[in-house]
Amino acid sequence: MKYISTRSSSVKYNFEKIFLKGLADDGGLFTPTTIPVYSEKDLNKFKDLSYSELAIELIFPFVGDTISKNDLSNIIKNSYKKFDDKNVVKISNLGNFKLLELFHGPTLAFKDIAMQFIGNLYEHYLNQNKKKINIVVATSGDTGSAAIDAIKGRKNMNVFVLHPDNKISSVQKKLMTTASEKNVYNLAIQGNFDDCQNIVKSLFADKKFSNSINMSGVNSINWARIIAQSVYYFYSYFKVLPFFKNVNFSVPTGNFGDVFSGYFAKKMGLPINKLIVATNSNDILHRAITRGDYASNPAIETLSPSMDIQIASNFERLIYDLNQGNSLETKKIMDKFKKEKKYIIPKDHLSKINLNFLSESLNEKELISSIRYTYENFKIVLDPHTAIGYGVLNKLNIDSNTIILATAHPSKFPEAIEKSLNIKTKLPAKLNYIMDQKEKYDKLENNTEAVKKFILKKLS
Ligand SMILES: *Cc1c(COP(=O)(O)O)cnc(C)c1O
């Protein structure tokens, strides 16, 4: 399997290269040049596999000749050891719907599923080529905690995590800042998430700096995350058959990573009906999918902070797909979007989008109602992101055949739950200890040079 950038097809890379780099030098996203497509007969063979066995089968074609199947199998099995459930995910009922619980990993959010795999992949490649890398990542809370858990204590790698000071939940903060391992650095930036993201982007763009420290990225644009996440679409699809036909997936969305994994599963042959893009008030994707209006406004803070995003980085993958892999055209569109902060999707592309995607968004009041409704009617406490995945179904008049991705455990967002239900959430027992542990982080001004200086000092 070879990969190219969505913005230029002239150079082909192998999986190891695109995994370690994360983002292409031309600013594009790495994408495979071919897609394995499974027939109904092939899918039938996957039906009864365990989660890890299924992950091995689905991911193996993408790592190509860079990892043996035996090594991949060990990497995947190791990645899911720390999960509470041996099947990695759980499927439960929520009224007429199914809830796909993706939060049984070490940091209580779906990002653990790809990130634990990524941690082991790094170790595999770095052991082979004796390199050292520095991972720099911006987070609104969940990516950072998942990355820290996956990287902490490993040899040959450091992780620098930038979070917006005072803008993440208390539990997210504890999960990140109580890691005492020497290779973990937390930076509380005096700004918002977009500021953190911009700093990381400028560090990557500074080739002299990023090459000098062997900088690597684990944000959701990394292809390894997309492919690792597509596994649970297959797994849950098999588990709800034969009760559900024409399954929809409702996906709480920010960066368009998780829901793109679902779209990719559909492209691999999984017979998904609609992918439902569920957003909060930061509704750029909802506007894009309903009206073709992909225009970025300033991000606002909501009770679902992991979706407070106004530039959905992985949307570029869909633009590339709509342009049938025309990287020149994709580059043109992305350059224009960068300049004008706005892209109007042509009508014919919009109708193609609507064959596969629906969307809705919830404002803060509707979000709180959704949390209250599911608590009062089903005695289930949803985290604020998952509550959006549920609440949009009502607005779209969908009342069956839908799997809602439960992207985080409610106890990760105690402030939002207390505000909505006036109850205190309980952390799973395995994590109780973190609340009494000392936090370790550095406050830094919202400034790229300051972050650069910090990193260089720590590495010297
Ligand atoms: C990251 C995150 C999302 C959004 O996922 P994307 O891949 O960015 O669309 C939704 N819910 C939770 C809890 C998250 O941590």
Side-chain angles (χ1 to χ4, degrees), residues 108-111 140 142-143 172 220 225 229 251-259 285 306-307 309 314 383 385-386 407-408 412-413:
L108 312 180
F110 84 93
K111 294 189 172 79
S140 54
D142 287 342
T143 303
Q172 287 178 316
S220 72
R225 282 184 62 177
Q229 289 163 185
V251 189
T253 309
N255 238 332
F256 205 70
D258 203 2
V259 72
L285 287 167
S306 299
M307 291 155 55
I309 289 175
N314 280 293
D383 101 275
H385 306 79
T386 309
T407 50
K412 204 168 180 182
F413 300 94

Side-chain angles (χ1 to χ4, degrees), residues 367-387:
L367 162 59
I368 290 173
S369 302
S370 177
I371 295 177
R372 285 188 185 149
Y373 185 87
T374 48
Y375 185 61
E376 282 160 14
N377 289 276
F378 312 117
K379 286 276 158 294
I380 290 174
V381 181
L382 295 182
D383 101 275
H385 306 79
T386 309

Side-chain angles (χ1 to χ4, degrees), residues 66 87 90 99 104 136 171 235 293 327 374 382 421:
T66 71
N87 290 320
K90 268 190 206 162
L99 210 52
H104 296 289
V136 184
V171 174
Y235 185 79
D293 169 24
S327 49
T374 48
L382 295 182
L421 301 177

